[in-house]
Amino acid sequence: MERLIKLSEKRLKSIDTGFHRYLYQQVQWDKPLSIIKGARGTGKTTLLLQYMKLTKLPAIYLSLDDFYFESNRLTLLAENLYEKGYRHFFLDEIHQYPFWSKDLKNLYDSYPDMRIVATGSSVLQIDKGQADLSRRANLYSLNGLSFREFLDMEYNLKNNPLELSSILENHMDISPSINDRLDVLKAFSEYLNYGCLPFFKSDKTFYHQKLQQIIHLIIEIDIPSVENINYTTVRSMKNLLFIISQSVPFTPNIQSLSDKTGVPRNTVLKALDLLEKSGVLNLLRSNNKGISFLQKPDKIYLENPNIAYTFSGSKPNKGNLRETFFLNQLKVNHDVTSSKYGDFIVNNAYTFEIGGAVKTTKQIKGIPQAFIAADEIENGVNNKIPLWLFGFLY
């Protein structure tokens, strides 16, 4: 126990509190139990440690992938720490601990004044552990960096998040106020290449190598820790991801993918579902309500533009990067589905066509509430809006 206390103190000393992810202000830290889900590399651990450092609470940080928890129960440790005066427990990597749901439920029920904030894989399903926490826990999801957050981290350019309605109605006033302060197109190009995850700040040279390692860990460790899948399925998922990465956005032929990977059709669909939940892919459908993994998606995208650079031996296709970026940024707070006429429908109301600077409105002519999200322009006009501005939604 003393070793874990010292580890917590050591982690706390090394944390930087200068930049906060968007979720920091949204988490209700004083609630009895909160769970933050997110893919590896999004900054969940930093979020916990920043709050601990700034509030100076009687708190401890515990990573549940520590060897200590191979033969020791969290409940017993938490009870001992409670007797020592600890009231705030920040628990990392809970999906690596087989008794996470049962122990969190017991602590929640037994210690009304205990405050627990836990983080876990984005694949984690809180209603499917040994104990149903869905009615007890406040659940949050931490996504990758928005373009707005990237500008804050890289250029110290402060901007508040924008509402979608504000962008649609006022973009001709908003975009000049931003691009007057920096070369926004250069910064946007950097973001598409390496700016979607916070660790870019410490090492741009090996960013894509680390991102590839993260994807391997997600498939080899995070998904199997939550889903009962074997080594053959893991290998099939890697093969499937490579095939998709070569031609995204990918219009799926599930039987063809089944033949290429050598696994049954339903296994391919389940693998796609897990790769989406784990933050590696985005699946675009015509309807997001009541979906089952057995329903074939209309299109398959990589989760963020940086992954396209990681898998691409050369520069990725611009059209792919643009659509991947738009879906990645909009899906965080909005419902995004496929469209018969444009590329996307947002909130079942707005049609968007994604393109370059010379993109015309021909394809969406006559469609109400239709817009062009155009790359390579600093300012827009009427219903033609700079693509980069949609990176300010969170």
Side-chain angles (χ1 to χ4, degrees):
M1 184 171 65
E2 295 303 321
R3 181 182 68 87
L4 294 175
I5 293 173
K6 289 179 179 178
L7 279 175
S8 175
E9 293 171 349
K10 184 178 180 180
R11 292 298 300 269
L12 202 59
K13 288 178 181 177
S14 63
I15 203 69
D16 179 20
T17 59
F19 168 80
H20 291 157
R21 293 298 319 276
Y22 72 97
L23 198 64
Y24 186 91
Q25 302 298 333
Q26 298 177 17
V27 175
Q28 294 179 285
W29 299 96
D30 59 341
K31 296 295 182 181
L33 176 60
S34 296
I35 297 177
I36 301 171
K37 295 167 52 175
R40 281 179 182 261
T42 52
K44 302 185 298 297
T45 301
T46 300
L47 205 68
L48 301 187
L49 293 169
Q50 284 179 333
Y51 184 76
M52 283 180 63
K53 190 167 187 174
L54 291 171
T55 54
K56 300 179 181 179
L57 296 165
I60 188 166
Y61 166 85
L62 299 169
S63 183
L64 299 195
D65 63 352
D66 191 282
F67 283 116
Y68 176 89
F69 296 103
E70 294 292 331
S71 55
N72 293 279
R73 289 293 291 263
L74 171 64
T75 46
L76 296 177
L77 174 65
E79 287 168 5
N80 289 332
L81 290 167
Y82 184 89
E83 293 300 320
K84 287 180 171 287
Y86 291 92
R87 294 295 181 268
H88 297 261
F89 292 79
F90 295 90
L91 310 177
D92 214 357
E93 304 283 351
I94 61 170
H95 59 281
Q96 302 281 13
Y97 176 65
F99 307 106
W100 66 269
S101 60
K102 189 172 183 179
D103 283 13
L104 290 184
K105 176 186 178 295
N106 289 336
L107 292 172
Y108 176 95
D109 293 341
S110 302
Y111 296 91
D113 62 336
M114 185 180 287
R115 297 293 177 263
I116 301 171
V117 183
T119 75
S121 165
S122 52
V123 192
L124 198 68
Q125 298 183 63
I126 65 170
D127 58 340
K128 292 189 177 179
Q130 295 171 321
D132 184 356
L133 295 174
S134 58
R135 289 174 292 178
R136 293 176 172 85
N138 287 345
L139 184 63
Y140 303 91
S141 292
L142 182 61
N143 297 275
L145 291 171
S146 66
F147 181 47
R148 180 191 69 86
E149 291 180 299
F150 170 78
L151 293 180
D152 190 349
M153 283 194 76
E154 182 72 344
Y155 292 98
N156 197 31
L157 193 74
K158 309 292 183 183
N159 293 281
N160 293 324
L162 300 172
E163 296 291 334
L164 178 60
S165 59
S166 180
I167 291 176
L168 301 183
E169 296 166 12
N170 305 311
H171 67 90
M172 288 189 289
D173 296 322
I174 296 170
S175 56
S177 69
I178 297 169
N179 59 51
D180 283 350
R181 289 183 280 164
L182 85 163
D183 185 343
V184 73
L185 296 183
K186 175 179 177 293
F188 186 54
S189 178
E190 293 169 350
Y191 170 83
L192 294 178
N193 188 339
Y194 58 74
C196 293
L197 294 172
F199 62 81
F200 84 86
K201 192 67 177 174
S202 59
D203 191 356
K204 296 183 180 71
T205 303
F206 295 100
Y207 176 85
H208 290 287
Q209 182 178 325
K210 185 171 182 179
L211 180 54
Q212 189 173 71
Q213 290 170 350
I214 284 175
I215 293 170
H216 279 295
L217 290 172
I218 287 172
I219 296 174
E220 294 172 357
I221 296 177
D222 293 350
I223 294 177
S225 70
V226 177
E227 295 283 337
N228 186 22
I229 60 174
N230 57 33
Y231 176 75
T232 302
T233 304
V234 169
R235 294 291 301 175
S236 298
M237 290 175 73
K238 287 185 176 182
N239 189 20
L240 179 65
L241 179 59
F242 177 77
I243 293 169
I244 291 169
S245 71
Q246 301 308 297
S247 54
V248 286
F250 188 86
T251 303
N253 181 320
I254 302 303
Q255 189 56 53
S256 175
L257 287 174
S258 174
D259 294 340
K260 288 180 179 179
T261 56
V263 297
R265 182 181 187 277
N266 284 358
T267 303
V268 171
L269 289 167
K270 182 62 176 177
L272 291 175
D273 179 62
L274 290 172
L275 288 169
E276 179 183 42
K277 288 177 178 174
S278 62
V280 178
L281 295 178
N282 277 327
L283 306 184
L284 184 69
R285 301 177 175 88
S286 58
N287 192 328
N288 290 329
K289 294 182 179 179
I291 58 172
S292 162
F293 77 85
L294 293 174
Q295 294 173 265
K296 186 186 82 168
D298 293 343
K299 281 187 178 181
I300 302 173
Y301 291 86
L302 296 172
E303 200 279 335
N304 67 63
N306 296 173
I307 301 177
Y309 278 93
T310 297
F311 281 112
S312 174
S314 56
K315 195 172 182 180
N317 177 270
K318 282 188 176 182
N320 163 32
L321 289 176
R322 293 163 182 164
E323 291 184 36
T324 300
F325 166 79
F326 185 87
L327 177 57
N328 171 269
Q329 300 289 285
L330 269 291
K331 72 179 177 64
V332 174
N333 292 319
H334 299 277
D335 183 58
V336 186
T337 53
S338 58
S339 171
K340 290 181 180 179
Y341 305 103
D343 291 311
F344 303 102
I345 294 178
V346 177
N347 297 342
N348 203 32
Y350 307 111
T351 298
F352 287 92
E353 178 72 8
I354 317 300
V358 298
K359 187 74 175 180
T360 68
T361 59
K362 180 179 179 181
Q363 193 165 340
I364 57 173
K365 188 176 181 180
I367 300 173
Q369 300 192 97
F371 302 87
I372 299 289
D375 194 12
E376 299 173 331
I377 62 171
E378 292 182 344
N379 301 304
V381 59
N382 298 327
N383 67 339
K384 190 170 186 177
I385 303 170
L387 176 63
W388 58 265
L389 193 54
F390 292 95
F392 282 70
L393 290 168
Y394 69 92

